[in-house]
Amino acid sequence: MKKLNKNTTDKGKTTLNELVNENIIKNDNPALLPKPEEAAINNDLLDKELVKVQNELKKSFEKYLKLFDNSTVGYITLDKRGVIQSCNNFACDLLGRGKHNLIGTYFSQFISDSTSFIFFDTLKQCISSMSVRDCKINIENSARQNYNLLVSVIPNTLQGEDNIENLLVLQNITDQVQAEVKLSKLQEEIDTVVQSKTMELLKRIESLEEANKKLEESGRIKSQFLTNMSHELRTPMVGILGFSELIISESKNPDIKEMASLIHSGGTRLLETLNLILDFTKVESEKISLVNEKCDIKLIAMEIVNTFSSTVQKKNLKMKFIAEGNNFYALIDPRLFKQVINNLVNNAIKYTNEGEISVTLLSDSEFITLKVKDTGIGIPENKIGIIFDEFRQASEGLNRHFGGAGLGLTLAKRFIELMGGRISVESVEGEGSTFTVFIPTVLESVDESSKNVVVPKRALIVEDDEISYSLLKNIVEELCPADIATNLEDALNKVGINTYDFIIMDINLGSEDTGIDVTREIRLLESYKNIPVIAVTAYAMKGDKNLFLESGLDAYVSKPFTRSDLLKTINNCLKEKTK
Ligand code: ADP
């Protein structure tokens, strides 16, 4: 460009020949040189081209100047001392001064003390590495406005290493920094709240754990109380029921017989209510454990129906028992299942004044269906939904017509469901009700009852309560003579001298040694390893049966018991041992 200017004609134009002559364009072949008239035309063309390029250059420079000045990013060039050489409008706005007041001043005057060190350090690194570096700084401009800037420092070498200029690209990140500050304040606040809430939660967990401990403790006390109550209430019932039964069968005096039977039926009702409440408490605290056995439901149902024959006669009702099908075996807890059928038949009789009660059994490969149907008072439609709820009765309040705790059906439903079955009711008020129980069938097995009955020669009764042992002796002596032992020492003495075919064992002997301890000692004797020991006890709570069986006892009869209960259990044990 410089050369071109030097060789321009007075019109400001340069000819091609002049360029060649000046060695700007090399041409060693004179034949290639244009003829003078051609050269004149070429020079003209060249001039035009040159003007065009200069114009385009100017336009492009103006375009980039516009972009430079109107950018939303600040641009500043600093010489190696840090003095501003040039800047765009945005940089002027940020620094709060016009271009001519900025150029020639130090950029560092605007940087806050707290960030100037960062800026100079970045500048140093940028120069030593000759690469772009970023830093965040804070400035206070001439109008006393504060901004946070993200500065990119770009090094630029001018004619040798000594002469370095730095191009600064400034981005206003004030809003972003303020947002970050707000965010971190918010984060701090959240942290504080979370911390205090966590503390609160921990305290709550602590107090919940404390409450839970108390609850467990009160649950344990409640369960202990129930065990004791069960024992205390059942024990006197042994005498009341047992001796009234004895008086009924032995007495010749009809008045005394009548009084004894009133005592017996009152005692039975009391015992039923007690059993219902205890069972309900066990179900509620989920402490009831089923002892499932494969049982013939037809036998159980027949047995229950028979026990009601005299009640049915007294009320002038008819009672039918029908069984259709071959296999009536199911996996059930016999004690609880008997309780269910007993409750259904008892209710059918209780709520029927005339007509008929029918108990029907049907069986197929899947289910045994037991229907208890009556022609009694029926249940109003709006009460059908509540009769399976605890303590609810169709007739409630002061004018209720029938006695009862309102627990029988609640327990029946829970028991049947625990055994894998279900119970439902259909009823029409004034016409009668049908309760239906479905229970899954299992395959038929050999009838164990066909085995021979074993006749025992002598028995031992270990019992400390006088009423109980007199009654037990009276019943056991239907089978064979019986001796009494009231404590561990006495019992060990007697088994050492005599040979017993079975032993009846009370669990609470009123001393430190329980019936379980006595059984353990007796089992140590070789000749008593296989002799049936039957627990007869008022401890009828919390899966006691399993505990007794695990401790070496063979069977369990809960107090108060009926004569037939005890005799049947003794016979079953004797049969079992001679297998
Ligand atoms: P309870 O008979 O002791 O009151 P249940 O739980 O056995 O308690 O029965 C709940 C209620 O269901 C009874 O009070 C009675 O109103 C109604 N009920 C049960 N069985 C029958 C029935 N066979 N006929 C009419 N009502 C019945």
Side-chain angles (χ1 to χ4, degrees):
M1 205 60 167
K2 224 173 167 192
K3 265 196 182 273
L4 281 177
N5 285 338
K6 196 178 153 203
N7 289 291
T8 46
T9 59
D10 42 8
K11 282 182 206 154
K13 290 175 187 166
T14 308
T15 66
L16 192 57
N17 277 346
E18 278 167 350
L19 291 174
V20 172
N21 289 341
E22 288 284 325
N23 267 342
I24 293 168
I25 299 174
K26 284 234 175 291
N27 190 353
D28 300 333
N29 186 357
L32 285 178
L33 277 175
K35 293 181 184 99
E37 59 284 10
E38 280 177 357
I41 297 167
N42 282 345
N43 278 342
D44 228 23
L45 279 173
L46 199 64
D47 287 347
K48 279 183 186 160
E49 199 57 35
L50 204 61
V51 171
K52 198 174 150 197
V53 169
Q54 277 172 341
N55 282 340
E56 274 173 14
L57 211 62
K58 196 178 160 210
K59 267 190 206 161
S60 162
F61 179 74
E62 281 167 357
K63 190 168 87 186
Y64 284 105
L65 194 68
K66 238 187 215 170
L67 269 178
F68 178 73
D69 261 338
N70 295 304
S71 168
T72 51
V73 174
Y75 294 107
I76 288 177
T77 44
L78 300 181
D79 68 8
K80 65 178 179 183
R81 294 165 304 153
V83 174
I84 299 172
Q85 300 299 302
S86 67
C87 59
N88 70 347
N89 288 343
F90 194 77
C92 291
D93 289 348
L94 283 176
L95 300 180
R97 280 193 203 169
K99 260 182 205 170
H100 31 276
N101 283 334
L102 269 179
I103 292 169
T105 63
Y106 284 97
F107 175 67
S108 57
Q109 65 182 304
F110 299 102
I111 306 174
S112 70
D113 291 347
S114 59
T115 56
S116 66
F117 165 77
I118 302 170
F119 177 73
F120 287 120
D121 194 48
T122 310
L123 208 58
K124 217 158 83 188
Q125 281 182 33
C126 165
I127 293 166
S128 66
S129 67
M130 287 307 282
S131 59
V132 181
R133 293 289 153 110
D134 292 339
C135 64
K136 284 180 185 172
I137 60 168
N138 179 261
I139 59 158
E140 189 184 287
N141 70 12
S142 303
R144 297 205 153 267
Q145 289 166 316
N146 273 290
Y147 290 117
N148 294 97
L149 304 180
L150 173 68
V151 183
S152 298
V153 188
I154 305 163
N156 190 24
T157 317
L158 301 168
Q159 297 161 3
E161 252 179 47
D162 263 4
N163 202 0
I164 292 173
E165 67 168 13
N166 290 297
L167 174 63
L168 306 186
V169 182
L170 314 175
Q171 292 180 61
N172 185 357
I173 55 164
T174 311
D175 289 349
Q176 188 189 325
V177 169
Q178 277 171 0
E180 274 171 13
V181 170
K182 263 190 201 164
L183 206 71
S184 88
K185 263 191 196 160
L186 213 67
Q187 186 63 48
E188 260 173 42
E189 277 171 28
I190 290 171
D191 284 352
T192 321
V193 173
V194 167
Q195 218 174 357
S196 84
K197 289 278 166 204
T198 311
M199 291 300 288
E200 236 174 72
L201 215 68
L202 283 175
K203 270 187 196 156
R204 268 200 210 167
I205 290 174
E206 240 173 59
S207 66
L208 268 174
E209 275 172 353
E210 193 63 28
N212 202 24
K213 263 189 211 159
K214 278 188 190 153
L215 209 70
E216 272 173 18
E217 176 64 6
S218 81
R220 201 188 53 74
I221 293 169
K222 186 176 143 197
S223 161
Q224 187 61 48
F225 169 75
L226 281 168
T227 310
N228 292 343
M229 283 307 288
S230 163
H231 182 261
E232 289 312 304
L233 293 170
R234 278 167 199 262
T235 305
M237 294 304 284
V238 178
I240 297 171
L241 290 183
F243 284 114
S244 56
E245 203 180 1
L246 203 69
I247 296 168
I248 297 165
S249 65
E250 304 276 302
S251 175
K252 305 276 179 284
N253 183 330
D255 288 345
I256 295 209
K257 257 185 195 287
E258 175 63 23
M259 280 190 272
S261 80
L262 284 175
I263 294 174
H264 194 268
S265 72
T268 309
R269 190 167 161 196
L270 201 65
L271 184 65
E272 272 166 12
T273 310
L274 172 69
N275 282 339
L276 279 174
I277 292 170
L278 288 175
D279 277 339
F280 178 68
T281 321
K282 277 192 270 179
V283 165
E284 279 299 280
S285 56
E286 287 169 14
K287 284 210 168 110
I288 197 137
S289 45
L290 262 63
V291 187
N292 278 347
E293 289 168 28
K294 192 172 170 183
C295 299
D296 189 342
I297 288 191
K298 188 175 160 189
L299 283 183
I300 294 177
M302 268 163 57
E303 195 184 307
I304 303 279
V305 168
N306 277 337
T307 60
F308 284 100
S309 55
S310 67
T311 324
V312 169
Q313 263 174 14
K314 270 186 213 156
K315 278 193 90 172
N316 239 341
L317 299 169
K318 274 193 207 143
M319 178 101 139
K320 263 197 328 206
F321 178 79
I322 306 153
E324 284 172 15
N326 301 318
N327 177 20
F328 294 101
Y329 278 92
L331 206 57
I332 52 161
D333 182 314
R335 184 180 79 85
L336 301 184
F337 195 79
K338 274 182 196 173
Q339 203 172 307
V340 173
I341 310 185
N342 196 69
N343 180 254
L344 296 181
V345 178
N346 190 39
N347 277 351
I349 298 169
K350 181 165 145 188
Y351 298 107
T352 303
N353 297 322
E354 55 184 34
E356 185 181 84
I357 317 291
S358 68
V359 177
T360 312
L361 269 177
L362 306 167
S363 88
D364 59 28
S365 57
E366 255 189 284
F367 283 103
I368 296 168
T369 311
L370 173 101
K371 279 182 188 287
V372 180
K373 187 170 181 218
D374 64 58
T375 53
I377 60 168
I379 303 162
E381 217 179 318
N382 62 344
K383 298 284 178 175
I384 286 199
I386 62 154
I387 57 165
F388 288 101
D389 295 348
E390 56 254 37
F391 308 114
R392 298 305 302 270
Q393 299 176 312
S395 152
E396 290 171 335
L398 292 178
N399 61 346
R400 75 181 186 139
H401 312 302
F402 298 91
L407 279 177
L409 288 179
T410 312
L411 287 172
K413 186 167 185 288
R414 304 261 181 105
F415 291 162
I416 290 299
E417 283 169 1
L418 281 172
M419 288 181 237
R422 68 194 155 84
I423 187 166
S424 63
V425 60
E426 284 168 86
S427 185
V428 178
E429 197 177 0
E431 286 183 22
S433 316
T434 307
F435 285 85
T436 311
V437 174
F438 300 93
I439 202 95
T441 322
V442 291
L443 286 179
E444 198 167 352
S445 69
V446 187
D447 184 5
E448 297 287 331
S449 64
S450 58
K451 295 222 169 125
N452 293 337
V453 176
V454 184
V455 184
K457 292 190 191 68
R458 194 166 196 90
L460 177 67
I461 298 163
V462 185
E463 167 69 82
D464 66 314
D465 182 65
E466 204 183 327
I467 302 175
S468 297
Y469 69 60
S470 330
L471 181 71
L472 282 167
K473 192 167 161 55
N474 186 290
I475 299 172
V476 169
E477 288 196 334
E478 243 180 59
L479 299 172
C480 63
D483 294 337
I484 309 285
T486 55
N487 57 40
L488 175 91
E489 218 183 356
D490 194 7
L492 290 180
N493 230 346
K494 292 216 161 83
V495 292
I497 302 166
N498 303 304
T499 308
Y500 297 111
D501 292 322
F502 67 92
I503 298 170
I504 302 291
M505 183 70 66
D506 181 30
I507 297 297
N508 181 353
L509 292 171
S511 67
E512 272 194 7
D513 303 309
T514 65
I516 293 175
D517 301 319
V518 181
T519 310
R520 216 174 278 132
E521 292 288 323
I522 292 176
R523 287 282 187 228
L524 294 176
L525 303 169
E526 197 53 45
S527 51
Y528 282 91
K529 288 237 173 329
N530 211 26
I531 294 295
V533 182
I534 299 152
V536 176
T537 176
Y539 282 109
M541 299 290 289
K542 285 199 287 180
D544 288 334
K545 183 173 177 178
N546 287 344
L547 171 74
F548 300 150
L549 300 188
E550 277 161 20
S551 312
L553 288 129
D554 294 281
Y556 162 99
V557 177
S558 114
K559 282 181 186 175
F561 46 84
T562 63
R563 235 180 159 71
S564 75
D565 275 346
L566 182 63
L567 291 173
K568 206 157 45 176
T569 310
I570 296 171
N571 272 327
N572 282 345
C573 280
L574 290 170
K575 267 190 268 171
E576 194 66 30
K577 291 286 174 181
T578 50
K579 258 186 194 175

